[in-house]
Amino acid sequence: MDQRVSRLERQGHDPETDLRTAPDKETEAASEAFSPPGRARPWRLYGAILAALIVLGAGGWWLWQQFTHVFVTDARVAADIVAVSSRVPGWVTAVEVIAGDSVRKGDILVRIDDRESRLLVQELDAQLMGIARRREEIEARIKLIDRQTQSRITAKQAAVRAAEAALAAAAAQRDLARQDNDRAEKLAPGGTITRARLDQTRAALETAKQQVLSAQADLENARAAVAEAEAAREELTVLQRQLAELGPEEQRLRAQRERAALDLEDRTIVMPFDGVVDQTFVDEGEYVTPGQRLLMVHDPERVRVEANVKETDIRFFRPGKTVTITVDALPGRRFEGKVTRVGQAATSEFALLPNPNPSGNFTKITQRLPVRIAVQQDGGEIKPGMMVELEAGTGD
């Protein structure tokens, strides 16, 4: 202390004044070193208050969501995936698509060897053409025989009429000759007429009788000719029956031809609807059998969401209810869906191993019911098998 006073005296300072002011300066320096700035304290307070408000707001939002909404995580996207099969056996000659291709309805997917089917169709076409030619031939013969027999029958019928007229004339002559002969027979005994005249009347009567017999024979011949002509016309019936028999034969050939054409058509497998190819199971050169699965396809515009909802929450998923869908693969995106169907039995009812619980030890487990939800596709981004989450309000 004495050394300090002497040093201050040498420097021209008043020791008493400096000793009084020294503690005050040291105290101010210490206070300035250890006390925070006056402006920093409000900002830290404001930050703490803001953080507390955010936490409270988030917690309140979470609680509000839990009380007013139902969340389902056991849900996924589904679609009607169609397994395209072959109806006919054969060697695969071409596979026109691969997995992931978008295909229009009617586009070719797979080609199967069709050489035998094509030849069979050509053979049946030739047989059908032969049936048509046979029909034309029989119809032409029917027309020809019809004209020939009709004219012949007409001529023979005219001959019959002429024979009938000749027979009538001969009968009249016979009757006249009989009357002359009867008179001659009565007059001859009295000598009124000569014996020669009697012989003449007898001869005339006999001649007239013979002419009647000849006319009857001619009439019978004419009638027989008519019958013969009509018998020849019966050939028309035979031809008409042959023509009728061609109908069932043609029908049988047409059925065979349609079956062969169907077999030929089935050897070109086409896309049944607009969609995408999910997977292919055959390669070119493989031999396929009827019913063998070749490809799997689905329509990307017809996807749906299938969820298993707890029985305690199923009342919030009645048909027609609008729900919100979030897809795990598309974070930040929300889709709207509509409940279209609610299952009539819990999923446990369809388990392969039922649990009848015969021992009496019972553990109550919340069951789940299947729910189907329609969702509008957005450019094919929602794909079958994706996991999704559902959110449904409890207030409406």
Side-chain angles (χ1 to χ4, degrees), residues 15-258:
E16 293 181 0
T17 302
D18 293 339
L19 288 176
R20 287 193 304 267
T21 59
D24 295 336
K25 293 180 179 180
E26 291 178 359
T27 303
E28 291 177 359
S31 62
E32 291 178 358
F34 292 101
S35 63
R39 294 182 180 179
R41 292 179 181 176
W43 287 111
R44 291 183 180 179
L45 179 61
Y46 296 156
I49 294 173
L50 180 60
L53 291 176
I54 292 175
V55 172
L56 290 175
W61 172 260
W62 182 83
L63 289 175
W64 181 80
Q65 286 287 95
Q66 297 300 316
F67 283 109
T68 59
H69 290 76
V70 175
F71 297 89
V72 177
T73 58
D74 186 5
R76 67 184 63 211
V77 180
D80 295 327
I81 299 180
V82 179
V84 180
S85 304
S86 172
R87 293 185 64 253
V88 295
W91 300 96
V92 176
T93 58
V95 179
E96 303 292 346
V97 295
I98 60 175
D101 285 349
S102 296
V103 188
R104 303 292 294 178
K105 180 180 180 180
D107 290 348
I108 298 176
L109 300 176
V110 179
R111 297 180 186 271
I112 301 177
D113 185 16
D114 60 355
R115 291 174 296 177
E116 292 185 1
S117 299
R118 195 176 300 277
L119 291 174
L120 180 58
V121 170
Q122 294 176 0
E123 178 183 353
L124 292 173
D125 286 338
Q127 293 182 12
L128 287 172
M129 292 179 64
I131 291 291
R133 299 290 83 79
R134 286 178 58 189
R135 175 177 284 105
E136 292 176 358
E137 178 185 356
I138 293 175
E139 289 176 348
R141 290 180 60 188
I142 288 175
K143 292 180 180 179
L144 177 61
I145 293 175
D146 180 53
R147 288 196 297 267
Q148 290 178 345
T149 56
Q150 187 64 40
S151 60
R152 186 181 303 173
I153 290 174
T154 302
K156 297 304 180 182
Q157 288 176 347
V160 168
R161 290 192 296 270
E164 290 176 348
L167 177 61
Q173 290 295 329
R174 181 195 60 189
D175 294 339
L176 180 61
R178 180 179 289 113
Q179 291 176 2
D180 290 343
N181 183 62
D182 290 342
R183 284 194 299 268
E185 291 290 342
K186 292 178 181 179
L187 295 174
T192 304
I193 60 173
T194 62
R195 185 70 182 178
R197 177 60 182 167
L198 180 60
D199 293 338
Q200 288 178 356
T201 57
R202 287 177 177 177
L205 178 59
E206 188 64 26
T207 300
K209 290 180 178 180
Q210 295 300 322
Q211 289 177 353
V212 169
L213 293 176
S214 177
Q216 288 179 346
D218 292 340
L219 179 59
E220 291 176 358
N221 289 333
R223 288 174 176 174
V226 171
E228 182 180 358
E230 291 178 349
R233 192 172 177 81
E234 292 296 326
E235 186 178 356
L236 292 176
T237 304
V238 177
L239 293 176
Q240 289 173 352
R241 290 178 179 176
Q242 292 180 359
L243 185 63
E245 290 176 356
L246 293 180
E249 184 177 358
E250 182 180 12
Q251 186 176 3
R252 178 179 59 82
L253 290 176
R254 288 191 181 279
Q256 292 181 358
R257 201 268 180 195
E258 291 179 1

